[in-house]
Structure formats: C-alpha cells, structure tokens
Amino acid sequence: MTATPLKGSDRTTAGPLADGTATSVRPRRRGRSAPYWFLVPALFLFAAFTVVPIGYAVWLSLHKVQVKGIGLGKGAREQVWNGLGNYTDVLHDSEFGHSVLRAFGYGLIVIPTMLGLALVFALMLDTPQARSAKFARLAIFLPYAVPGIIAALMWGFLYLPTVSPFYYLLREFNLPQPDLFDGGNLYLSFANIAVWGGTGFNMIVIYTALRAIPLEIYEAAKIDGASDLKIALRIKIPIVMPSLVLTFFFSVIATLQVFTEPMALKPLTNGLSGSWSPLMAIYDAAFFRSDIYGASATAVVLALATFALSFTLLRVSDRYTREDRA
C-alpha cells in the first residue's frame, strides 16, 4: 500500500519499500525563493533612489561647515557635527514660517475649488442625460497631461499685460486691468494654474468610483421617487466619499510641495520672493546661499510635517467613517 501526499502540502510521503523499511519525509522547497528574486530589482532601485537619499539628507542635516580663519586654503572649511542645531535654526526661521503660511493660504483656495469642480464634473458626466461624455472626459482631463512647467509658463505669459490677449480685450472695452503678479493676486494666479491642471485627475478618480456603483441602487431610488439631485446628494456622494478623502490627501501633500508654478513665474515679476513656498525656500538655501546642511534640515522638517498632517487627517477621516457605518 502506497501513501499519497496531502493536497496543498509541501511534504511528500513515500510508502514502505520491499524490505519493509520506510522512506524519510522531506520538505519540498523547490521554487520557494523565486518570488523574492523577482523583488530584488525593485528593492534595489527603491533603496538606491529613495532610502539612501533620505538617509544622506538626514546625515547632512546633523552637520555644518566650520570655517577656520578667512576660509581660504586647504582645510579651511571642515564638516563638523552640529546635532539638532540646524533644526533649531529652521524652527526659528521666520521666512520659512511665512512660506508655510503662504502655502496654506494657497491651499485654502486650490483644494476646495479643485475638488468641488472635480466632483461636479464627475456627477454631471455620470448622469444618463450627459451628451458627448467621452469627449468631455478627455477635454477635462487633458490639462493634467500638460507638463507643469509648460502650463505655468503658458499661463504666465497670459498674465503679462503686454502680450496677453485678455488684457487687450480689457483695454478695448475700457475695463479694469488687474495686476495678477502683485500682492494677493499672486495667490489667485497660482491657484488658477493648479486648478486648471489638477481638476481633471481628481475628476477621473471620482468618476471611476461613481461608475463602480451598481445600477440597481439607482433603480431602487427612482422607484421610491428620488430625483437625480437627491440621488446625487444621498447616494452618490456618500458612496464616493473614500475617493474624495483620497484626492483630498493628495491635494494637501501637493499644496505643501508647491514649487513649479511660483518658480516658473518668478522671472516674470519682481514681487515674488525666492522663498515664497517651502520648497522654494529649500531650493534657495541649497543652491543660492550654499547652505546644503540647513536646506537638508528644512527638507526633513517639511517631510515630517507632511507625514504628521497626512497621518492625522487619515485617522480623523477613518474615525468618522467608522462612526457613520456604525
């Protein structure tokens, strides 16, 4: 009589031999390590281009350059341990604090406007009465496909009074011509570029979630006499709330990391400082003031603040989601 191996087992069991002796049971290990070998290239790239740079930035943030004498000659500049000194300087840097406040003011304009338009567009495209829905989706999403630097330069020239066709029309009709590069108008100029480029991506995320809702739910609501507006407010929006939360997190992170728009428009105006946003402050410290150690500390502080804010918002939204389900 010969024993057969159990289904799903990684061991094979052989029956007794002709002389009555039994064979040993050995585990089958062939092929177990294959998945890990497939992960090696991805892990190597992740370590080389993410883990190592982050570790190097942290290491730089804990050091500084000590200048001896007048700073000339070999050995006049020496890298020494500074501990948390760079972090203390960052937290006491008023200019960096102002850049963070400007980023939050920019976000207060961009995030509600962009997500509100994305939600409205997604709901409109999801209605049965929508015409040319495929063309509309493409038209709304197309600005997101334009590289950020190209979009910023394009809008920047449209903001210039001497070359913009909008200012020509305003002059022809004797209408006020606001300076979009001055004071508070800068926030509106940057926000317009971000909303124009980011609404399409968020709309696609929300629209995809809407298309996943079973049609039976809409049919049951219509049988109960619900209008399209009530279906949108009481069924569609609550169901796609996780997608709205996801796009909100992405928008918050993008707001804290705003760099392309102000950096591209900076040569077009004299009213924009080199540290208007947190990332611009880091860039200015590293490449214009040659303070790579302070810039590294600022980058670490910004990364930790972004992580803490995202984690807090995620926990708060998760708690309210659980309360709603309960």
Side-chain angles (χ1 to χ4, degrees), residues 42-195:
L43 293 176
F44 173 78
L45 294 175
F46 177 77
F49 295 100
T50 302
V51 177
V52 173
I54 291 176
Y56 184 60
V58 173
W59 185 82
L60 286 176
S61 68
L62 300 174
H63 293 77
K64 68 175 183 178
V65 170
Q66 187 176 38
V67 181
K68 298 179 181 179
I70 60 175
L72 300 177
K74 185 177 181 180
R77 294 174 175 270
E78 182 183 3
Q79 183 175 271
V80 297
W81 177 262
N82 193 31
L84 299 179
N86 291 325
Y87 293 96
T88 303
D89 295 339
V90 171
L91 297 177
H92 288 85
D93 186 4
S94 60
E95 185 60 29
F96 178 71
H98 292 158
S99 69
V100 174
L101 292 178
R102 285 191 287 265
F104 273 109
Y106 163 83
L108 289 177
I109 301 174
V110 171
I111 296 177
T113 306
M114 182 170 59
L115 296 186
L117 289 175
L119 178 61
V120 170
F121 288 151
L123 291 174
M124 292 175 63
L125 292 175
D126 191 55
T127 57
Q129 295 82 9
R131 296 291 184 268
S132 303
K134 293 183 179 180
F135 174 78
R137 289 200 305 269
L138 179 62
I140 297 172
F141 180 78
L142 189 59
Y144 179 75
V146 178
I149 184 65
I150 296 177
L153 290 175
M154 180 188 69
W155 280 103
F157 283 104
L158 290 176
Y159 293 155
L160 287 176
T162 55
V163 298
S164 174
F166 299 122
Y167 280 93
Y168 172 78
L169 295 176
L170 292 176
R171 287 193 297 269
E172 289 294 321
F173 290 98
N174 294 321
L175 296 176
Q177 303 175 30
D179 186 0
L180 298 177
F181 289 121
D182 181 40
N185 291 335
L186 273 173
Y187 291 90
L188 298 178
S189 301
F190 298 152
N192 175 66
I193 301 173
V195 171

Side-chain angles (χ1 to χ4, degrees), residues 260-297:
T260 302
E261 293 85 355
M263 200 66 185
L265 298 184
K266 187 176 181 299
L268 303 180
T269 175
N270 295 322
L272 187 63
S273 65
S275 57
W276 190 87
S277 69
L279 283 187
M280 289 182 66
I282 296 172
Y283 183 86
D284 181 74
F287 298 101
F288 288 97
R289 294 189 280 114
S290 298
D291 185 13
I292 189 67
Y293 305 96
S296 299

